[in-house]
Amino acid sequence: MSKLAVAAALSLSLFAAPALADGQTKDFRLPPVDLKDPGRCVLNSSSMGQANAARDKLYDLRMCDLSKQDASGYDLSGVIMTKTNLSNAKLVEAYFSKAYLHDSNFDGADFTNGIIDRASFKGSSLKGAIFTNAVLQGTSFEAANVENADFTDIAIGDYDLRALCKNPTLKGENPVTGADTVISSGCVGLKR
């Protein structure tokens, strides 16, 4: 086999696989939580731009109660959240690029027009969350509870949509918008 053919086969195998969100790779480990930092549990928008989740230090919001906060338009890219409470938070037009959002509470959160790309909601509760017109490219909802969520007009890749459609909690009706969860996700007619 020629070097060109080997290079072409290698490039196809590299690019054919789905993009994995942070925390979906094997042996992923987080640093210890700095519980001594008094300003740690504050929603701050990045001033460096969201493209690479660039910040001057680790953006760690693990174990923080940020329920009912308004972070509309904030750049929260690169954030680490585990056991974080963002229930009923207003996250309209917020950026969550390369975000680690595991085992957290996003019940009733409003992500309308948000950009949530290459993020992982593994094990989080998103009951009644609103994702209307949000970008969800490369985002994982593995083991997340999406009951009563509204996914109307989302932008999501085929692989990610198929994974979302297999989520057993994909059911119900959003209590705010009235949207049917399965219909709004685009999963009607897809193998579930």
Side-chain angles (χ1 to χ4, degrees), residues 34-107:
D34 183 4
L35 297 173
K36 295 177 183 175
D37 182 356
R40 191 176 65 79
C41 289
V42 177
L43 289 168
N44 290 313
S45 186
S46 172
S47 59
M48 295 184 199
Q50 69 94 24
N52 291 310
R55 293 186 178 270
D56 57 356
K57 71 175 194 171
L58 184 66
Y59 193 28
D60 190 351
L61 296 177
R62 288 179 283 175
M63 298 182 283
C64 294
D65 184 359
L66 303 165
S67 58
K68 300 179 183 174
Q69 298 275 335
D70 187 349
S72 294
Y74 279 30
D75 177 0
L76 302 171
S77 297
V79 69
I80 298 172
M81 294 183 184
T82 305
K83 296 184 172 101
T84 303
N85 183 3
L86 268 145
S87 60
N88 299 304
K90 189 174 179 186
L91 305 165
V92 175
E93 297 181 1
Y95 294 89
F96 283 92
S97 184
K98 300 178 183 176
Y100 186 90
L101 311 168
H102 289 205
D103 303 312
S104 294
N105 183 350
F106 294 94
D107 292 349

Side-chain angles (χ1 to χ4, degrees), residues 101-104 121-125 141-145:
L101 311 168
H102 289 205
D103 303 312
S104 294
F121 285 106
K122 185 175 185 176
S124 289
S125 182
F141 293 93
E142 178 186 345
N145 188 338

